[in-house]
Structure formats: C-alpha cells, structure tokens
Amino acid sequence: METEKETLYLKQVPLFADLADEEVRELMPMARRRIFRAGEVIFHREDPGQVLYVIKEGKVKICLISPDGQEMTLTILGKGEYFGEFALLDGLPRSTDAIASERVECYTLQRTDFHNAIMKNPKIAIQAMEVLSKRLRNTNQMVEDLIFLDVYGRVAKKLVELADAHGAKAEDGGIRIEMRLTQQELASMVGASRESVNKVMGYFTDKNFISTDKHRITLHRIADLKRRIY
C-alpha cells in the first residue's frame, strides 16, 4: 500500500508525469526515502554528484557560500520539485550547496537509475531541460536585479516572488509566506547586508505593506510593493 502511495506521488511530479504507471513502479525499488533535519546540509558545492533528490515534504535552500561564510540564496524549492540534476547530467561536481530549510522528506535516485529512466522515456530529459532553462533564466534575472534595482526594489520583488511560490491566504485577507524567514536569510536572497534589509523591512512595515510575526511575513498591499520594485 505504501509503495502504491509513493507511485501515485511520483506521478504528480512533473519530471515523471509522462511515465506510465508501470514505468513509475519500476522506478520505485530504485528510489530511496531520505529525511533531513532543519538546517542540515544535503550536499556541499564540489561534492561528487551521484544522486537526484525529489522533495516530498519540506523546503530546500539552494545557495552559494563563499570561503568567508557569506551566503547567496539562489532559490527555495518545495514539494514536488527536484534538485541535483546538474551533476547527474554533466558528471561534474555539485555547483551549489543544498540545505534543508525545514524538515525535509525526499526520494533519491542514483545517477545510473536516472540515466536508465531517461533512456526508456526521453520525455524525462525534455522536462529536465525545461527546468534547467527556467533556472538559468532565473539566475540571469538575479544578476539583472543586482545591477539595476536598489535594495528596496530587490526586497519588494523577492517578497512578491515568495508569496507567489509559498504563499497562503491569511485571515485578514493578506498573503502569508508559509516559510520561516529571518532577515539574514532574506538578505542572502537579494544580495544585500542584513542591516540594509532590516531598514527596508522597517519601512515596508511602517507603510503597512507587510507585517511580521515569528519570522513569518504577511503581505498586505502587494500592488504597492510591486510599484516599489522599479
């Protein structure tokens, strides 16, 4: 029964959506269930890349960490998304760090098993390329934002993006970002200092654009935030 539930879950993941039920069942014995604690490192940059991760529950932060400990968050991934495919496709070491932002439950596939699945169904490769293209475009957009937007604009844009990706309707009608987010973590997402982000968040709070409660952020005036981006 548990295997059937896992099969049904993987069928909902875009990467495997085009597989027949029987093909997904063939994959299941190769998949391994893994659990990571909040804050646990899943892999480091430059680690050998032999495993693909598919998130079942929780959120994973994909980031770059400099030798002196400065962090730049590239994206936050959640349920149904996957990561680690770069190294599986090109055979090179990991290009980023992956850290569990909260308790994470995921399925893992070894590189050889992933390649075998692609050989049987090339649509998996097409889906993987689409995701890679999207992530490359997002990276290009991050570079553009760093060049052309001030800190207020970058924070406003990131809050709107997080609300779109991880938001839920709040009782007061606002959109609550359903993930714990410190100002330091937000700073690492927008390429700014914590002090600068603290100033921006204070301004947005005073304007009632947002409110915060126990590291949870609620957006109240999204249209005003969007106008502040540019």
Side-chain angles (χ1 to χ4, degrees):
M1 190 66 177
E2 186 63 29
T3 301
E4 190 63 27
K5 288 181 180 178
E6 292 171 342
T7 300
L8 289 173
Y9 172 72
L10 283 185
K11 279 284 289 181
Q12 297 172 29
V13 176
L15 186 62
F16 303 115
D18 289 322
L19 294 180
D21 289 355
E22 187 56 39
E23 290 173 316
V24 177
R25 291 190 186 96
E26 289 177 6
L27 270 180
M28 286 315 304
M30 307 169 194
R32 296 290 179 266
R33 181 171 169 267
R34 295 285 307 276
I35 293 176
F36 298 92
R37 303 182 305 276
E40 186 174 355
V41 174
I42 299 172
F43 56 71
H44 287 288
R45 186 179 185 181
E46 301 298 338
D47 281 352
Q50 296 296 323
V51 179
L52 172 76
Y53 299 82
V54 181
I55 303 171
K56 183 179 181 183
E57 297 291 345
K59 292 181 174 60
V60 173
K61 175 172 60 177
I62 306 299
C63 58
L64 297 170
I65 301 176
S66 70
D68 62 357
Q70 294 187 52
E71 182 180 302
M72 178 70 177
T73 298
L74 302 178
T75 189
I76 302 287
L77 301 176
K79 183 176 181 178
E81 296 184 289
Y82 56 90
F83 59 98
E85 75 283 359
F86 273 41
L88 263 67
L89 293 171
D90 63 18
L92 298 175
R94 300 294 188 189
S95 58
T96 63
D97 296 86
I99 302 171
S101 297
E102 56 192 43
R103 180 186 180 277
V104 169
E105 180 179 348
C106 61
Y107 296 110
T108 65
L109 273 177
Q110 293 293 322
R111 187 168 190 261
T112 53
D113 296 327
F114 183 58
H115 283 189
N116 288 337
I118 288 176
M119 294 297 289
K120 290 183 178 179
N121 194 323
K123 288 183 179 180
I124 294 177
I126 294 173
Q127 173 62 29
M129 285 189 292
E130 288 178 355
V131 170
L132 287 172
S133 297
K134 180 181 178 182
R135 291 177 183 173
L136 179 58
R137 290 177 185 274
N138 289 342
T139 300
N140 291 343
Q141 187 63 60
M142 287 180 68
V143 174
E144 183 177 326
D145 291 347
L146 285 169
I147 296 171
F148 296 115
L149 300 183
D150 62 11
V151 178
Y152 287 83
R154 299 205 300 271
V155 173
K157 186 174 184 179
K158 181 55 64 176
L159 291 175
V160 171
E161 289 174 351
L162 289 171
D164 286 341
H166 308 287
K169 194 87 169 182
E171 291 182 1
D172 61 3
I175 302 296
R176 188 170 187 250
I177 299 173
E178 289 297 311
M179 57 183 290
R180 185 181 182 278
L181 193 63
T182 66
Q183 289 189 359
Q184 183 58 58
E185 289 169 331
L186 184 57
S188 78
M189 294 179 184
V190 300
S193 67
R194 187 190 63 78
E195 292 77 15
S196 297
V197 169
N198 179 58
K199 181 180 178 180
V200 172
M201 294 294 284
Y203 174 81
F204 287 164
T205 301
D206 290 342
K207 292 290 187 180
N208 198 36
F209 292 177
I210 66 170
S211 62
T212 58
D213 178 36
K214 297 178 181 178
H215 300 301
R216 304 278 181 170
I217 302 170
T218 301
L219 278 57
H220 301 290
R221 294 165 58 184
I222 295 179
D224 289 314
L225 276 175
K226 289 181 177 179
R227 279 193 288 271
R228 186 56 190 82
I229 294 174
Y230 296 101

